[in-house]
Amino acid sequence: AVCARSRRRAGGGGGGAVLLPSMLMFAVILASSGLLLMIERGILAEVRPLHPAAGSDTPRRHAVADRGDGDLEHQVLQDTRNRTIHTVCGQRAMPRSVWDLTPGQRKTVLKHLLVSDKYRFLYCYVPKVACSNWKRILKVLGGALESVNVKLKMDHKSDLVFLGDMKPDEIRYRLKNYYKFLFVRNPMERLLSAYRNKFGEIKEYQLKYGVEIVKRYRKNGAQSAGDDVTFSEFLRYLLDEEAERMNEHWMPIYNLCQPCAVHYDFIGSYERLNADANYVLEQVRSPSFIRFPERQSWYKPVTTETLHYYLCNTQRQLIKELLPKYILDFSLFAYPLPNITSKFCRQ
């Protein structure tokens, strides 16, 4: 049924219909591991979460060298990501390059790949996964900023080079020859971070998205200024949105960076941010004085307790219905599904 719906959504009437990658991967995962049934029964929710560590490249590239940190958990997660990406991306109908993607998918990933020609690397930025600090580093490496610690509001476009602005032959060369990396984060934690930041602090998002969300999901919500969106209303909005048309701050990482079409040399983790980021800087041979910036003092991180509070106070069925939309981020990057069992939430 999933495959049939995918073909219809892909607009294929004839025998040459191609499955949308996101739906195909979802179908593969469901068929191979019974994830949907496990979600429904709460089985995976009862698995004690690991603390995700640095990821690795796909098997089509050389393996990331062991940094000798003796961290068994890190090695297990690294291997899990490696194997999962290899299995899912190895499916016959999956894209092998960005040129196998639809025009819309290709446009999305290319506009999220930042380029450093001087240090020969591509970085796929993911909003709410420390991308502002990475952009600072690119500006320092490019000479636009003197230091990563300069206190100024981040301009997310000026003094940055995007792969999508280049010609096809220039894109091909860089994808083939440059070091490529991205950073990932627990999907639900990333969503909560986006929700608290955009609807709690940013007037532009309150007016552009908040007003519409409240009007759509709340009786007598026409008078809202968009600054009182509840987390449940936000999740209902995500459930009704197409993943490929979402705002980048809550679009699934898979759709943003296309890890099957782009063969990343390294996938770092938000949970090991400084260690993984400095490892990448060593790999691209950046100047020794450049180190990943420390977290700003004003920044309020999403703690494990905060995430549990929001999830346990949200209708369980709503979360279960939303999980398939982000299931590729959970599975490809080895994040546990959220624990929302009654027993856990009572504790």
Side-chain angles (χ1 to χ4, degrees):
V2 171
C3 293
R5 286 196 298 272
S6 300
R7 291 191 185 96
R8 288 197 296 270
R9 291 181 63 184
V18 178
L19 294 177
L20 290 177
S22 59
M23 292 303 294
L24 172 68
M25 292 175 69
F26 180 38
V28 169
I29 292 172
L30 289 184
S32 62
S33 64
L35 263 180
L36 192 61
L37 179 62
M38 297 173 81
I39 292 172
E40 185 64 32
R41 294 183 177 179
I43 295 173
L44 286 185
E46 295 175 3
V47 176
R48 184 172 300 174
L50 294 171
H51 300 291
S56 64
D57 58 355
T58 68
R60 284 173 252 184
R61 308 288 291 185
H62 62 276
V64 175
D66 185 351
R67 281 169 276 171
D69 55 11
D71 187 344
L72 178 60
E73 188 174 294
H74 157 69
Q75 298 299 330
V76 170
L77 282 165
Q78 186 181 68
D79 186 61
T80 300
R81 279 183 182 164
N82 215 17
R83 291 173 182 272
T84 306
I85 291 175
H86 174 66
T87 299
V88 175
C89 296
Q91 299 298 314
R92 186 171 58 182
M94 294 307 295
R96 297 294 190 268
S97 75
V98 297
W99 312 109
D100 293 337
L101 301 171
T102 67
Q105 292 168 338
R106 184 164 56 250
K107 180 179 178 181
T108 295
V109 66
L110 291 181
K111 78 176 184 179
H112 282 86
L113 282 165
L114 293 169
V115 182
S116 172
D117 282 325
K118 184 176 182 180
Y119 292 92
R120 297 176 64 85
F121 70 78
L122 302 177
Y123 158 59
C124 187
Y125 80 87
V126 178
K128 310 312 298 178
V129 191
C131 72
S132 294
N133 279 341
W134 270 114
K135 289 175 180 178
R136 284 177 179 269
I137 286 177
L138 266 91
K139 291 188 179 190
V140 172
L141 292 175
L145 279 182
E146 292 183 2
S147 167
V148 295
N149 297 315
V150 173
K151 295 183 178 179
L152 50 80
K153 185 177 181 181
M154 171 56 60
D155 186 322
H156 290 269
K157 292 187 178 180
S158 67
D159 302 314
L160 294 170
V161 180
F162 297 83
L163 192 61
D165 293 333
M166 297 183 172
K167 297 177 181 178
D169 59 333
E170 297 173 327
I171 293 173
R172 287 188 178 92
Y173 176 82
R174 286 161 178 78
L175 285 171
K176 181 179 179 181
N177 296 286
Y178 282 18
Y179 185 85
K180 298 173 286 294
F181 68 93
L182 77 150
F183 274 70
V184 298
R185 185 179 187 179
N186 179 297
M188 295 306 297
E189 183 180 302
R190 176 172 170 252
L191 289 182
L192 179 56
S193 178
Y195 163 75
R196 296 206 309 175
N197 173 238
K198 300 308 176 186
F199 298 107
E201 303 172 7
I202 312 298
K203 193 70 174 178
E204 176 187 351
Y205 277 77
Q206 294 169 357
L207 294 175
K208 184 175 181 179
Y209 295 97
V211 170
E212 174 60 28
I213 290 173
V214 173
K215 188 183 299 183
R216 187 187 300 185
Y217 300 110
R218 191 187 306 173
K219 291 181 179 180
N220 304 319
Q223 303 303 316
S224 172
D227 58 353
D228 59 344
V229 177
T230 68
F231 189 58
S232 292
E233 289 169 338
F234 175 56
L235 296 188
R236 288 181 65 187
Y237 168 72
L238 297 181
L239 186 60
D240 291 339
E241 288 291 292
E242 288 187 36
E244 293 183 359
R245 297 179 180 274
M246 286 182 177
N247 179 279
E248 63 176 8
H249 289 84
W250 42 81
M251 181 182 286
I253 297 174
Y254 173 81
N255 297 84
L256 289 172
C257 295
Q258 296 288 346
C260 289
V262 179
H263 308 156
Y264 292 98
D265 296 284
F266 186 76
I267 299 177
S269 294
Y270 185 82
E271 295 77 16
R272 291 175 57 105
L273 184 56
N274 280 25
D276 284 358
N278 288 325
Y279 171 77
V280 169
L281 291 173
E282 291 176 5
Q283 295 300 110
V284 300
R285 295 180 172 84
S286 73
S288 58
F289 68 87
I290 296 180
R291 281 292 178 265
F292 200 75
E294 294 295 328
R295 182 176 288 162
Q296 300 290 336
S297 58
W298 50 262
Y299 180 73
K300 296 179 180 179
V302 174
T303 65
T304 301
E305 292 75 17
T306 303
L307 179 61
H308 288 163
Y309 174 83
Y310 274 90
L311 293 180
C312 286
N313 283 280
T314 301
Q315 187 180 13
R316 191 179 309 168
Q317 187 61 33
L318 177 58
I319 296 175
K320 287 181 179 179
E321 290 176 1
L322 183 65
L323 286 179
K325 188 158 285 187
Y326 292 89
I327 201 68
L328 297 176
D329 287 0
F330 282 105
S331 59
L332 288 180
F333 308 128
Y335 284 106
L337 293 176
N339 192 337
I340 54 173
T341 60
S342 298
K343 180 181 178 181
F344 176 81
C345 288
R346 282 197 302 269
Q347 294 173 344

